[in-house]
Amino acid sequence: MSTKHSDDLVHTAEEILTRTSQLAKQLSQRSITPPSLSVGANSDLWTTHDGEIEALRSATLALTQRLDNLLEGPHGVIHEYVSTNWEYGALYTLLEFDILEKIPLDGSPVPAAQLAEQAGLPSEKLLRICRLVATTGILQEPEEGLFAHTAISEILVKDPGFRSWVGFQLFETRVASANLADSLKRPNPYWTGQAAFEYAWGMPMYTWHAKNPEKGKRFAQAMQSVSQGKVTHLPLEYRVNTDEDILGLDPGNGMIIDWLTSRQNAGRDEKGRLIEVSGKNGSFSQQLATIFPNLNLEVQDTSAELLRQGEQKIDTKLTERVRFRQRDLFTQRSAQELEEGERSFTSTVFLLRGVLWNLPDGEAIKLLQSFIPAMQSHDRPLLLISDLVSPKWGTFEPHVERAFRRRDVTLMTMHNVKQRTATEWDELIRSASPQFKVTYSEKYSSHSCRGLWQVELGDHSG
């Protein structure tokens, strides 16, 4: 046996021990609870994504992945990689039949036969399904045929939004991804081609969800869950409550809130206004109105039904500051339009939050250009754009980059959309007008990269 290869195995194991010991020391110094998978366990290790702790955590994960691969070998790695499909099907079955809700959250085990009787399933089948899920560590089988929660399964009971996201991933995206290869066996370019989801289901995803309202409701809950990003610099007095710093899978909303917080007048001027374009039912604008008690907001959307839903659900305390308006998306916005209404405003910010990602370049440019007449008005409104970004190659180590490349393929598969890089976004925005002055920032969570573009209108001479 090669000494070099033997040394690689031992060196990797030694590095894991070194990094883990360093990580444990950091946790102790910062009084962070060590991680545990017991029911009720929680640790800031899982939600700390900056500084030395994250660096050590990431390095340890990379090393353990390498050790796994060294121990498994080429055949074992591929076999394990593709075989997890059966674990996904088993977990989805538990979610669909509410099996996890039937297991006590106090950690006590329940016989599979009892769970099967409550769910109306064959006990011998459910036993094998639960047992497969338990081998992944999501459930535990402390005694033969008895199943109990872990901290992993517990979150699927306590966090319905995250559960919805998991369900969406285990059903819609699995079916679509299985059809990706077949959808590419004919000419199929971005934007004008056909998404693998449409190839599989015979219609675009949003149309399919409209025709399958239960799945559509689940998808809406999933997207709301992942959009709850962490607010990194929000002062205590501007929080809805002291638990405002909820870390989601997408940092986009948190970046917008941070941007408003950092601007002296944006969130505190009683004559300041934010117009959320294509804001659907206005749930995010209502969140902003709660966080910034002096900010005025207008929700614009083409759908009268979504706006009606927003008006029905809005807190009565916010009705004077949050307005709803049906409007065409692409029609130019004039300075006169900004002056309509009983109130006058000294500053205006237009917000495009996740609006451009699924628009072809031509339509995106047309939409950006529609703001130019309004941005030429005396108070020089700003345009704030928050959208998905494909990180530059080599930004992360491969074990981290995997999540971001997964998102690239997700948009391709589900919508036939190209997730643009920061460079492609910059070229797109600047091509809409030579007068656009663009300031860019980006932020990563463990699963998503978001860009934030502040667009101002520069010198008229261009």
Side-chain angles (χ1 to χ4, degrees), residues 372-398:
I372 294 176
M375 294 173 73
Q376 292 172 336
S377 63
H378 65 89
D379 60 340
R380 310 295 278 183
L382 297 175
L383 173 60
L384 194 64
I385 303 169
S386 171
D387 228 310
L388 296 167
V389 176
S390 178
K392 184 179 178 181
W393 176 83
T395 301
F396 307 100
E397 293 295 323

Side-chain angles (χ1 to χ4, degrees), residues 40-42 49 56 103 114 121 158 219 221 238 314 352 354 361:
N42 192 21
H49 295 289
L56 288 168
I103 301 175
Q114 178 181 325
L121 291 172
K158 291 186 172 181
F219 174 72
Q221 292 172 336
Y238 281 100
I314 190 171
L352 288 174
D361 288 357

Side-chain angles (χ1 to χ4, degrees), residues 38-106:
S38 300
V39 174
N42 192 21
S43 174
D44 286 344
L45 170 65
W46 300 330
T47 55
T48 300
H49 295 289
D50 52 23
E52 189 169 358
I53 285 180
E54 173 60 15
L56 288 168
R57 175 176 175 270
S58 179
T60 305
L61 287 170
L63 287 164
T64 55
Q65 179 178 307
R66 175 167 177 76
L67 184 61
D68 284 347
N69 291 348
L70 287 170
L71 293 171
E72 290 280 5
H75 185 276
V77 169
I78 296 298
H79 184 276
E80 187 65 21
Y81 180 74
V82 301
S83 297
T84 52
N85 176 65
W86 302 109
E87 282 95 299
Y88 300 154
L91 178 59
Y92 188 70
T93 301
L94 299 188
L95 296 182
E96 283 292 283
F97 287 90
D98 296 327
I99 300 299
L100 299 181
E101 283 78 5
K102 296 174 173 58
I103 301 175
L105 287 172
D106 61 6

Side-chain angles (χ1 to χ4, degrees), residues 102-368:
K102 296 174 173 58
I103 301 175
L105 287 172
D106 61 6
S108 57
V110 178
Q114 178 181 325
L115 296 173
E117 182 179 359
Q118 293 175 348
L121 291 172
S123 60
E124 291 186 346
K125 285 189 174 182
L126 185 59
L127 170 65
R128 286 156 176 80
I129 291 169
C130 289
R131 183 164 286 162
L132 175 57
V133 174
T135 64
T136 68
I138 295 176
L139 283 176
Q140 60 174 319
E141 188 178 4
E143 298 180 42
E144 186 175 357
L146 300 179
F147 295 92
H149 277 297
T150 67
I152 302 172
S153 58
E154 180 185 22
I155 196 173
L156 291 172
V157 176
K158 291 186 172 181
D159 188 343
F162 182 59
R163 173 196 168 106
S164 293
W165 180 84
V166 173
F168 167 70
Q169 294 294 325
L170 292 176
F171 186 67
E172 286 99 315
T173 66
R174 276 206 307 148
V175 173
S177 65
N179 285 270
L180 177 59
D182 286 345
S183 74
L184 295 172
K185 289 180 179 178
R186 58 186 179 184
N188 193 0
Y190 278 120
W191 311 113
T192 58
Q194 186 182 45
F197 184 98
E198 184 176 357
Y199 180 89
W201 296 101
M203 62 190 76
M205 190 188 80
Y206 294 124
T207 304
W208 187 86
H209 278 139
K211 291 180 178 293
N212 296 272
E214 288 188 7
K215 297 294 192 294
K217 180 180 179 181
R218 181 175 71 183
F219 174 72
Q221 292 172 336
M223 294 303 100
Q224 183 177 6
S225 174
V226 301
S227 68
Q228 291 178 350
K230 186 172 182 179
V231 183
T232 56
H233 302 297
L234 190 61
L236 185 61
E237 64 268 23
Y238 281 100
R239 298 182 185 179
V240 178
N241 54 60
T242 55
D243 296 323
E244 186 61 30
D245 285 1
I246 300 173
L247 181 66
L249 299 180
D250 190 323
N253 288 358
M255 293 177 71
I256 295 168
I257 295 170
D258 284 346
W259 184 87
L260 287 168
T261 303
S262 67
R263 296 182 65 85
Q264 185 174 1
N265 296 322
R268 306 178 188 182
D269 184 357
E270 293 184 356
K271 290 193 174 182
R273 169 178 56 177
L274 185 143
I275 300 175
E276 186 180 8
V277 177
S278 196
K280 299 181 174 61
N281 64 6
S283 60
F284 182 60
S285 284
Q286 293 181 50
Q287 180 185 357
L288 292 180
T290 305
I291 296 171
F292 301 101
N294 293 322
L295 182 63
N296 299 280
L297 297 111
E298 180 177 303
V299 181
Q300 296 182 357
D301 203 273
T302 59
S303 170
E305 174 60 22
L306 287 175
L307 295 172
R308 183 188 65 80
Q309 293 174 11
E311 289 177 321
Q312 288 180 340
K313 294 179 180 179
I314 190 171
D315 189 325
T316 55
K317 298 177 182 178
L318 305 178
T319 53
E320 291 187 4
R321 292 191 295 115
V322 181
R323 305 295 175 88
F324 296 84
R325 182 184 179 195
Q326 187 176 11
R327 192 192 191 283
D328 178 70
L329 180 61
F330 293 97
T331 302
Q332 286 201 335
R333 294 156 171 82
S334 66
Q336 291 75 19
E337 182 180 338
L338 291 181
E339 297 172 0
E340 293 176 356
E342 300 177 357
R343 296 193 59 183
S344 61
F345 300 95
T346 57
S347 64
T348 298
V349 176
F350 290 105
L351 173 62
L352 288 174
R353 185 178 67 99
V355 176
L356 299 176
W357 66 272
N358 64 344
L359 294 181
D361 288 357
E363 291 186 16
I365 290 171
K366 180 180 178 181
L367 177 56
L368 292 171

